[in-house]
Amino acid sequence: MQILPYHFEGEVVRGFGRGGKELGCPTANMDDTVIENLPDGLKVGVYYGKATFKGNTYSMAMSVGWNPQYHNEKKTVEVHLIDYAGGDFYGKRLSAVIVGYIRDMRSFASLEELKTAIAKDIEIARRGTTEQGKL
Ligand code: ADP
Ligand code: MG
């Protein structure tokens, strides 16, 4: 059974406020219901898709992963809206479709390497496909 595209809708909650904005990549953390309802076969990693928020639809890069702060027990789903230039939207609802898988989650040797990886993720998410040649 094909898992993707997969639709979810939920509330944007507060994360630790670490990293995201400083990296130029804030991520809207989704509430626990979204995390609990993820299909079993959806592996951790970075994905691309589309997210609709307040009636506007954006390309998104998103992650499904484990937060080490919770001793690897707490999975997070985090959505970066590409080209969204508004302010914070904690507590608001967001509806999204995960379209495709980009890469596994991993740690990077430096902040610069992480930033480079995120920039590539965003480029793939903008294209909306992984099938148009390598970056
Ligand atoms: P947190 O740890 O609370 O998730 P982040 O640094 O990841 O903090 O910032 C996420 C918050 O930033 C989102 O919940 C949202 O309110 C806001 N935000 C602003 N621009 C964006 C964007 N383009 N994509 C996602 N969230 C954004
Ligand atoms: Mg976040």
Side-chain angles (χ1 to χ4, degrees), residues 14-117:
R14 278 185 190 275
F16 288 99
R18 285 180 322 216
K21 285 171 182 154
E22 289 79 358
L23 282 166
C25 187
T27 57
N29 293 36
M30 302 308 300
D31 70 70
D32 285 344
T33 315
V34 169
I35 296 159
E36 286 156 14
N37 288 331
L38 287 178
D40 285 341
L42 192 87
K43 56 185 174 182
V44 299
V46 180
Y47 290 86
Y48 66 92
K50 296 282 180 187
T52 296
F53 160 68
K54 274 191 170 174
N56 294 314
T57 300
Y58 304 86
S59 292
M60 70 164 182
M62 68 163 262
S63 69
V64 176
W66 303 95
N67 193 321
Q69 285 296 318
Y70 282 95
H71 307 287
N72 295 332
E73 283 167 10
K74 173 84 178 165
K75 209 182 227 181
T76 65
V77 170
E78 307 190 20
V79 174
H80 175 67
L81 300 179
I82 297 171
D83 294 339
Y84 167 77
D88 285 351
F89 48 94
Y90 291 113
K92 296 286 189 289
R93 293 196 74 77
L94 188 145
S95 174
V97 175
I98 309 175
V99 175
Y101 177 79
I102 301 177
R103 64 174 170 90
D104 199 1
M105 294 272 266
R106 49 166 286 213
S107 53
F108 291 88
S110 69
L111 205 61
E112 279 316 304
E113 281 183 41
L114 173 57
K115 283 186 177 179
T116 303

